[in-house]
Amino acid sequence: MNSKEIIAKTQKYGANNYAPKEVVIIKGEGAVVYDPEGRRYYDMLSAYSALNFGHCHPEIAAAAEAQLKKVTLTSRAFHNELLCEFYERLSRLTGKEKILPMNTGAEAVETALKTARRWGAFKKGIPDGKQEIIVAGNNFHGRTITVISASTDPVARKGFGPFTPGLKVIEYGKAAALEEAITENTVAFLVEPIQGEAGIIVPPEGYLTKVREICTRHNVLMMADEVQTGFARTGKMFACDHEGVVPDVYVLGKALGGGIMPVSAIAADSDIMDVFEPGSHGSTFGGNPLAAAVSVKAMEILERDDYPRLAREKGEYFMRGLKKIRCKDIVDIRGKGLLVGVEFSQNAEKYVKKLIGGGVLAKETHEKTVRFAPPLIITYKQLDEALNIISEALSD
């Protein structure tokens, strides 16, 4: 089938909960993808940072292929030989004592919320049902009922009530707002170190440091949603590292699966994670051997090839190139590492169409911001070629 036929069939049988750009991807290698007509594009979205390693990384694909021939799923009714390796490597990477595996980012967020509530009841002594969790406005943590209960996006919430109680929204980037919102029933603050879906919003310098201090002083868990920013995307292994901050709970996903499998997890120390007992939480597919094999190899490559350095140096290079572009509609260029937002004074959709027409895949978020997040393995030659296309598409 050609692109038009594939899109028509997708629209005929699929629910209308997405509005994809009219590009069909049938093959990918590294930072490059192809459509059915053989047209070549630079993927500058990376499946919202799930493809930090690029498309079909040969070593990760080989690890998946080898495991496919052995065993792919055991459920958690039995042990498998790779889950312990996954635990050990992720524990070392995060510096946390315990890992709880899931599949999607939204599941990891739900797991973090459940962990915080149980910790509040079992460890902090808050009456069960009174626990409060604070979140930031304009957040994006997923699309489950509980997660959208904490959202300020009307599109995400409309028609989905009643919503989960016990969630309080404050302004992002203002530590004083967190201090004011905390009560005797507060168990946690869930925050994105950089807000991705909101338009690559980088908080003021020192914000995370102040958040850490406030949470510690009030005996409140700091839970960092690093689903999109984790695993080197921003030029550090985790975005919290930019301020030397260690959260109580890491919420992880996307790149953890190496661009091949849905893999997510939370990481925390034993005094937090031991609130669970058998049967209190779980997932049939969470920690399956195929996912574990892929993730172990991905984490090995992350450390071995120093992906934080790749993202930091290429991000600085890419940012310099973007700032040379002259466009009267550009009002801001911001980000860290290879997570960059270009904000326009008007709806950015027309610019996205020009980018795609030139061979660069990107997407607008919150209407006015184009997010650029290429795979971290993109070469400097490819960055130059992509920058030429971007400059032509955006320049006055």
Side-chain angles (χ1 to χ4, degrees), residues 183-355:
T183 71
E184 61 183 9
N185 292 327
T186 303
V187 296
F189 178 46
L190 175 65
V191 64
E192 297 162 271
I194 296 174
Q195 289 191 325
E197 199 67 23
I200 319 301
I201 306 300
V202 181
E205 189 173 346
Y207 172 66
L208 295 175
T209 303
K210 291 176 184 175
V211 164
R212 175 68 279 179
E213 186 275 323
I214 292 167
C215 287
T216 300
R217 179 157 41 84
H218 289 280
N219 192 24
V220 166
L221 299 181
M222 179 184 178
M223 304 196 301
D225 182 345
E226 294 256 16
V227 169
Q228 190 170 151
T229 55
F231 304 109
R233 169 54 60 183
T234 69
K236 296 282 188 179
M237 187 59 73
F238 302 104
C240 286
D241 294 344
H242 286 284
E243 293 193 19
V245 166
V246 179
D248 297 296
V249 179
Y250 284 104
V251 185
L252 306 167
K254 292 195 186 295
L256 186 57
I260 291 179
M261 289 289 292
V263 183
S264 68
I266 67 165
D269 285 337
S270 299
D271 63 334
I272 296 171
M273 207 74 91
D274 67 10
V275 299
F276 291 108
E277 74 275 348
S280 57
H281 187 57
S283 164
T284 299
F285 278 82
N288 70 77
L290 179 58
V294 163
S295 189
V296 166
K297 178 57 70 173
M299 287 187 279
E300 175 192 321
I301 294 167
L302 264 176
E303 295 185 281
R304 183 195 72 199
D305 295 347
D306 197 358
Y307 269 48
R309 178 184 60 82
L310 294 181
R312 184 168 60 253
E313 294 177 355
K314 291 175 184 177
E316 291 169 358
Y317 184 85
F318 184 55
M319 189 80 83
R320 285 197 299 271
L322 289 175
K323 287 182 177 179
K324 293 177 183 176
I325 297 171
R326 292 291 167 259
C327 173
K328 67 181 185 302
D329 291 333
I330 293 178
V331 297
D332 194 20
I333 300 175
R334 56 180 177 263
K336 287 185 183 292
L338 281 172
L339 182 62
V340 178
V342 179
E343 184 178 345
F344 294 83
S345 59
Q346 57 178 278
N347 193 305
E349 185 177 10
K350 71 173 185 178
Y351 288 109
V352 170
K353 286 182 179 179
K354 291 173 72 176
L355 288 166

Side-chain angles (χ1 to χ4, degrees), residues 40 42 71 130 150 158 168 190 225 230 242 281 369 390:
R40 182 176 181 269
Y42 284 115
V71 62
K130 299 291 186 181
K158 186 178 180 181
K168 186 183 294 184
L190 175 65
D225 182 345
H242 286 284
H281 187 57
T369 301
I390 294 167

Side-chain angles (χ1 to χ4, degrees), residues 17 33 193 253-254 278 353 383:
N17 60 319
V33 296
K254 292 195 186 295
K353 286 182 179 179
L383 273 176

